């Protein structure tokens, strides 16, 4: 009897396990099916939008009315934005696709910049029409290649999940049609680098150095990268430390460093291989109760920058998140604040230690600039500011305007309705370039105040 009961219990257990396994399998299949559907939709949307983009660029070439041209270029910008979003939903993070994304960005930037300008006062030049004509032909090439990939995907019922696995594992799949197709698109777009895209609308975005190519110094070793992070993070000893070079496809060469201190707290960082400049680092240690003020933490941050040769930096923004102070500093050239050269720091308010540092913008933009003299006076610029704003500070500053174009401005800091705003007035033509509402100290939700 006991033996029979045990058999029944085991049988029920096996049935339960089988049911659980089947349920898990069904749920896993549902997740995979949903991911595959998302990838398929994004890919087919991308191909469709490249068709529309090619047609819309062709429409702008045929137009003679400036009234029609502005909305047509706005439509081009919208389509490139949506195409970018489609690319972002595909599993291409491990497949170099930067040139194609830059190509879409260039089209979007040019079309947006042109659509919002007064075409009656500043119509398209012959050079810009020639550039549009080239873009029309280049978009046709991309359109044809994507259509070829799409045809094979549908014909052979190819799965994007197989592409994702192949890219993640670095292995070849039985049919590499999708991967090979996108590599072909990327190679084709690389051939466009010498295209005549020299109008300010095109080049303004490209002025930003995303590759850190201007960095000075020798190539450093893994050991030197670890030593640099230790110095920046204030770590005298480490229980464990490693540095790994970046994988292929990155826009610049760097080491990713991970260090564990004697308490097991981890510090992670990226350090450029050329020159050994920390792009960022974060110390993940727990932060205790606040013991120093935000003002004291600001002094700690400024001292940190001075010790690491970040000279002539102005603190322009400070915020407190729970027991951490976050500070933004901008470089200064003469009496002009250079906002593109920004460094951010996180300071623990329990002991004043710098536990976070981001110099990405500074490293990309740092250079000696030829700053022109303002064409209008500060008084004239001030007259362009909303008269209801109570102005507290003013200065000259270089900020990043539309399409990452650097603009010399008068910066005004003022208060309106108990809120603080930063307003930038173009120092050349008096236009209002940008208005920013400054953040207040973050409230720690879930805790008593």
């Amino acid at each position: 009897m006991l033996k029979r009961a045990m058999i029944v219990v085991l049988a029920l257990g096996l049935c339960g396990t089988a049911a659980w396994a089947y349920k898990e399998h069904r749920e896993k299949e549902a997740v995979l099916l949903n991911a595959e559907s998302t990838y398929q939709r994004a890919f087919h949307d991308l191909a469709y939008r490249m068709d529309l983009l090619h047609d819309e660029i062709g429409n702008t070439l045929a137009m003679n009315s400036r009234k029609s041209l502005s909305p047509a270029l706005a439509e081009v910008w919208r389509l490139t934005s949506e195409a970018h979003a489609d690319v972002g939903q595909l599993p291409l993070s491990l497949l170099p696709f930067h040139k194609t994304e830059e190509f879409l960005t260039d089209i979007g930037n040019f079309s947006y910049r042109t659509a919002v300008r007064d075409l009656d006062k500043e119509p398209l030049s012959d050079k810009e029409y020639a550039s549009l004509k080239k873009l029309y032909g280049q978009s046709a090439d991309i359109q044809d290649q994507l259509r070829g990939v799409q045809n094979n995907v549908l014909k052979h019922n190819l799965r994007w999940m197989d592409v994702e696995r192949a890219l993640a594992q670095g292995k070849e799949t039985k049919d590499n049609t999708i991967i090979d197709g996108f590599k072909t698109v990327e190679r084709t777009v690389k051939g466009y680098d010498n295209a005549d895209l020299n109008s300010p609308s095109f080049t303004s975005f490209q002025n930003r150095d995303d590759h850190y190519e201007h960095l000075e110094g020798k190539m450093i070793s893994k050991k030197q990268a670890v030593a640099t992070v230790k110095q920046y993070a204030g770590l005298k000893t480490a229980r464990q430390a490693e540095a790994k070079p970046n994988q292929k496809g990155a826009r610049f060469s760097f080491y990713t460093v991970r260090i564990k201190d004697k308490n097991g707290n981890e510090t992670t960082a990226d350090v450029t291989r050329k020159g050994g400049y920390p792009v960022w680092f974060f110390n993940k240690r727990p932060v205790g109760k606040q013991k120093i003020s935000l003002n004291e933490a600001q002094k700690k941050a400024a001292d940190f920058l001075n010790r690491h040769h970040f000279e002539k930096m102005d603190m322009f923004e400070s915020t407190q998140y729970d027991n951490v102070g976050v500070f933004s500093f901008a470089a200064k050239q003469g009496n002009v604040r250079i906002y593109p050269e920004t460094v951010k720091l996180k300071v623990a308010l329990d002991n004043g230690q710098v536990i976070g540092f981001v110099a990405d913008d500074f490293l990309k933009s740092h250079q000696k600039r030829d700053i022109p003299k303002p064409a209008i006076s500060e008084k004239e610029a001030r007259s362009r500011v909303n008269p209801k704003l109570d102005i507290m500070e003013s200065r000259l500053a270089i900020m990043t305007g539309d399409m990452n174009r650097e603009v010399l401005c008068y910066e005004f800091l003022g208060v309106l309705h108990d809120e603080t705003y930063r307003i930038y007035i173009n120092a050349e033509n008096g236009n209002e370039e940008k208005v920013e509402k400054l953040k207040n100290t973050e409230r720690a939700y879930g805790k008593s105040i």
Side-chain angles (χ1 to χ4, degrees), residues 138-412:
Q138 292 162 357
S139 63
D141 293 338
I142 298 175
Q143 175 192 33
D144 289 343
Q145 288 160 7
L146 284 177
R147 280 299 183 191
V149 177
Q150 185 181 43
N151 180 63
N152 283 317
V153 167
L154 295 172
K155 184 178 179 180
H156 301 291
N157 196 27
L158 302 179
R159 288 167 26 108
W160 276 93
M161 293 302 298
D162 295 334
V163 174
E164 185 175 42
R165 292 192 190 97
L167 290 173
Q169 298 172 7
K171 297 178 180 179
E172 297 293 318
T173 58
K174 292 181 180 179
D175 192 326
N176 290 308
T177 301
I178 295 178
I179 296 176
D180 292 343
F182 274 85
K183 285 182 177 179
T184 300
V185 173
E186 184 74 354
R187 284 194 299 269
T188 300
V189 177
K190 282 183 180 180
Y192 301 157
D193 287 350
N194 295 324
D196 183 15
L197 303 179
N198 293 319
S199 74
S201 300
F202 280 109
T203 58
S204 57
F205 183 83
Q206 296 168 341
N207 285 338
R208 188 177 176 90
D209 178 16
D210 286 335
H211 298 74
Y212 301 84
E213 291 175 350
H214 67 285
L215 293 181
E216 299 178 351
K218 298 179 180 179
M219 301 297 286
I220 66 167
S221 65
K222 294 180 181 180
K223 187 176 180 180
Q224 289 171 313
V226 171
T228 297
V229 176
K230 281 184 178 180
Q231 182 193 25
Y232 269 72
L235 300 172
K236 294 181 179 179
T237 60
R239 190 173 76 185
Q240 182 181 345
E242 65 174 0
K244 294 182 178 180
N246 61 281
Q247 296 181 353
K248 292 180 180 180
R251 296 192 175 193
F252 67 100
S253 184
F254 63 93
Y255 290 111
T256 294
V257 179
R258 287 184 173 82
I259 301 174
K260 282 191 177 180
D261 64 18
K262 61 182 180 180
N263 298 318
N265 298 318
E266 186 177 70
T267 296
T268 57
D270 277 354
V271 181
T272 64
R273 295 177 73 179
K274 184 177 181 181
Y277 301 95
V279 180
W280 58 266
F281 85 82
F282 291 103
N283 185 330
K284 299 178 183 177
R285 75 166 177 85
V287 179
K289 292 182 179 180
Q290 180 173 348
K291 294 182 181 178
I292 67 171
S293 68
L294 197 63
N295 186 55
E296 291 173 300
Q298 176 191 329
K299 293 178 181 178
K300 297 279 188 182
D303 289 343
F304 177 92
L305 291 176
N306 287 329
R307 288 199 312 273
H308 293 94
H309 310 293
F310 287 86
E311 301 171 350
K312 298 180 180 179
M313 303 290 289
D314 266 359
M315 198 280 292
F316 66 90
E317 191 171 73
S318 65
T319 310
Q320 182 173 340
Y321 297 87
D322 205 356
N323 294 330
V324 174
V326 180
F327 304 93
S328 297
F329 289 78
K332 200 170 184 181
Q333 185 174 319
N335 66 334
V336 181
R337 187 178 283 179
I338 314 295
Y339 280 110
E341 298 182 20
T342 299
V343 176
K344 294 188 177 182
L345 300 96
K346 290 175 66 176
V347 179
L349 299 181
D350 55 358
N351 64 3
Q353 180 187 12
V354 175
I355 58 173
F357 170 82
V358 180
D360 182 58
D361 288 335
F362 183 92
L363 294 175
K364 289 175 180 176
S365 303
H366 184 56
Q367 59 184 295
K368 181 74 174 178
R369 289 171 170 80
D370 293 325
I371 301 175
K373 290 184 178 180
I376 65 172
S377 66
E378 180 181 333
K379 182 178 180 181
E380 186 177 352
R382 188 181 287 253
S383 69
R384 306 295 180 94
V385 178
N386 187 333
K388 295 180 180 179
L389 193 81
D390 186 12
I391 298 175
M392 313 297 292
E393 296 179 19
S394 62
R395 65 178 58 83
L396 278 172
I398 288 179
M399 52 83 69
T400 305
D402 289 342
M403 309 302 109
N404 281 325
R405 180 175 57 91
E406 290 189 358
V407 184
L408 178 65
C409 293
Y410 286 101
E411 174 194 348
F412 297 97

Side-chain angles (χ1 to χ4, degrees), residues 127-144:
K127 183 176 286 188
E128 286 174 324
Y129 269 112
S131 296
L132 270 176
K133 189 174 181 180
K134 285 186 178 181
L135 290 175
Y136 180 65
Q138 292 162 357
S139 63
D141 293 338
I142 298 175
Q143 175 192 33
D144 289 343

Side-chain angles (χ1 to χ4, degrees), residues 70-71 73-74 77 109-119 402-403:
S70 288
L73 287 168
W77 172 73
N109 289 338
F110 171 77
S111 57
Y112 172 80
R113 185 77 179 166
T114 309
V116 299
R117 86 187 191 206
D118 189 341
L119 291 174
D402 289 342
M403 309 302 109

Side-chain angles (χ1 to χ4, degrees), residues 32-52:
L32 293 175
L33 182 62
N34 182 63
E36 180 65 28
S37 298
T38 299
Y39 292 152
Q40 292 284 356
R41 177 189 53 75
F43 171 65
H44 293 300
D45 283 351
L46 174 63
Y48 173 65
R49 287 194 174 101
M50 284 307 302
D51 286 346
L52 295 179

